[in-house]
Amino acid sequence: MDFDWMNVIPDVGSENILFLAEGLLPYLKPNEVQQLVKQMRSHFSGATWVMDVMGNYGKLLRKMTAKLEAPLQWFVKNEQDLTAMGLQVVNTWPLYQLYPERWPWQWQLLFKLLTQFPYFRNGYLIVETKL
């Protein structure tokens, strides 16, 4: 949560910056995620930020990760939680809709059906946002 790194990024125009947060945000406390969003928006307004966010599944994994001393702490109900933090949601992909060719056709059909239900769809999302 040391934000000094933001001061050493060259001034290339925020619209030319892409940030990726993969496997990071669920381990932060909700107030830390909010602080990070606030700092990034103030330094890089208009930049693109792609992140994975956990919903219901993270809550199911909370006890297991706590035993490993790496508890999951931040979850979202859906992408509107990100909008409420001041991020502009550009695209959202349920994890199961990415790379469908990796799954046997039976699983593809099952995932297509299950992603119609918010509990399953929002379990794990990849979200593209603008700061």
Side-chain angles (χ1 to χ4, degrees):
M1 296 306 295
D2 178 357
F3 300 123
D4 288 341
W5 64 268
M6 294 181 188
N7 298 319
V8 296
I9 293 180
D11 185 15
V12 296
S14 293
E15 67 279 359
N16 297 313
I17 298 176
L18 169 64
F19 291 102
L20 301 174
E22 182 180 2
L24 166 71
L25 298 176
Y27 293 97
L28 299 178
K29 295 175 185 171
N31 67 320
E32 292 173 329
V33 175
Q34 186 63 50
Q35 288 175 1
L36 180 60
V37 169
K38 182 179 177 183
Q39 289 294 320
M40 289 181 72
R41 286 185 65 222
S42 70
H43 283 79
F44 309 106
S45 181
T48 299
W49 188 9
V50 178
M51 63 188 74
D52 59 346
V53 296
M54 295 189 94
N56 311 313
Y57 300 146
K59 292 178 183 178
L60 296 173
L61 296 172
R62 182 183 282 178
K63 285 184 182 180
M64 182 180 72
T65 59
K67 288 179 185 177
L68 299 172
E69 296 183 16
L72 297 173
Q73 301 179 72
W74 181 68
F75 312 99
V76 298
K77 186 183 291 184
N78 53 44
E79 57 271 34
Q80 284 77 27
D81 286 354
L82 301 174
T83 302
M85 295 174 71
L87 296 169
Q88 176 190 350
V89 175
V90 177
N91 285 306
T92 304
W93 302 274
L95 181 64
Y96 312 106
Q97 290 180 341
L98 294 173
Y99 308 107
E101 66 278 2
R102 293 181 180 177
W103 303 98
W105 69 269
Q106 300 92 333
W107 284 93
Q108 290 179 40
L109 289 175
L110 179 62
F111 291 153
K112 190 172 230 175
L113 171 69
L114 290 175
T115 54
Q116 302 305 309
F117 301 98
Y119 182 87
F120 189 80
R121 177 199 177 271
N122 299 331
Y124 198 96
L125 299 171
I126 308 297
V127 185
E128 175 187 356
T129 67
K130 287 281 185 188
L131 293 168

